[in-house]
Amino acid sequence: MPDLRPTLLLTRPLAQSRRFAAEFAARYGADWPVVISPLLEIVTVPAEVPPAPVVVFTSESAVAPFAALSPAAGRRAWCVGPRTAKVAEAAGFVPILGPGEAQGLVRAILAEETARPLLHARGRHVAAELAALLNAAGVQTLEATVYDQIELPPSIEEGRLLATDGPLLVPLFSPRSARLFAKRAANAQARLWIAAISAAAAAPLVALTPARLEVAPTPDAAGMMLALDRIVASADAG
């Protein structure tokens, strides 16, 4: 008998996709069909790191490459959300937990931080230009680009799923990932059930006319899981 559940297509980099797959399996069962087909690969890039007493991380992917270039032990680090804070703490930083998204992190820094300058350790592509926002508000903030996010070609299995008439459950965790997926899914035959981490991530997906599009109530893995819950529940009700 065919499996009527939608396949979960995970497009984050491999380590993050595997972690989310495990969380999804704990919630929905290990037998739920899952395909991992990363849109991006994280690669370290050479970087000049200017001196600064406090670092800012808006992604867990920046922590390890930055720690390899600049001392971590006892150094305070603003972290966008709990996962990044956990990774930063494991690397030796003293994390300061942000609210889960860049704009809220800027507000928290403006309200609480007195050290100068700050240093944003970042990827080549970011959802928000945090240093520009902080500098515009009068807080000197430097930058170090310590990793890149290289676009990967679609896997054979992803292509098959997009070409097959049936529901496909797709969580998308950033505006750039959403743009890349929208490009490769432009002619998809699948009925797309999409969870977007933010309104900015949802925007490029509207052109796909997805069967369902849910925006996460919070911009993190927990919020994305709740968005997927809503999609699955509405499908069951229908």
Side-chain angles (χ1 to χ4, degrees):
M1 185 174 180
D3 193 338
L4 299 179
R5 296 170 298 181
T7 297
L8 177 68
L9 177 64
L10 296 177
T11 64
R12 298 184 86 188
L14 189 57
Q16 291 96 320
S17 283
R18 286 174 173 166
R19 186 173 68 237
F20 193 83
E23 295 168 359
F24 190 88
R27 201 176 191 93
Y28 282 98
D31 61 341
W32 192 288
V34 176
V35 168
I36 294 176
S37 181
L39 288 161
L40 300 168
E41 179 182 11
I42 303 299
V43 295
T44 301
V45 297
E48 294 291 331
V49 179
V54 179
V55 63
V56 182
F57 294 121
T58 49
S59 170
E60 65 179 276
S61 297
V63 176
F66 182 80
L69 296 169
S70 188
R75 191 176 190 179
R76 290 190 301 121
W78 282 92
C79 299
V80 68
R83 176 65 195 175
T84 301
K86 182 178 179 180
V87 173
E89 185 173 30
F93 294 95
V94 178
I96 310 165
L97 183 60
E101 46 82 26
Q103 296 287 347
L105 183 62
V106 167
R107 291 191 292 272
I109 290 171
L110 292 176
E112 300 178 33
E113 186 56 67
T114 58
R116 302 289 186 274
L118 306 182
L119 176 59
H120 181 204
R122 53 169 285 175
R124 198 174 302 280
H125 304 273
V126 290
E129 294 289 345
L130 183 133
L133 293 171
L134 288 171
N135 282 314
V139 176
Q140 184 187 8
T141 306
L142 310 173
E143 292 184 302
T145 298
V146 295
Y147 70 96
D148 199 356
Q149 308 100 310
I150 305 299
E151 182 179 358
L152 296 175
S155 65
I156 293 173
E157 186 66 5
E158 178 189 335
R160 184 190 66 78
L161 289 169
L162 290 172
T164 301
D165 182 17
L168 186 60
L169 193 58
V170 189
L172 292 164
F173 286 79
S174 74
R176 184 171 182 234
S177 292
R179 290 192 298 272
L180 293 176
F181 182 76
K183 180 175 64 175
R184 65 175 59 178
N187 298 311
Q189 298 301 306
R191 297 197 307 278
L192 300 174
W193 297 357
I194 301 177
I197 197 165
S198 65
L205 301 165
V206 174
L208 295 176
T209 59
R212 292 181 174 85
L213 177 58
E214 188 78 33
V215 177
T218 56
D220 50 28
M224 289 292 276
M225 198 68 74
L226 289 174
L228 293 175
D229 287 346
R230 292 174 183 173
I231 292 172
V232 172
S234 66
D236 289 342

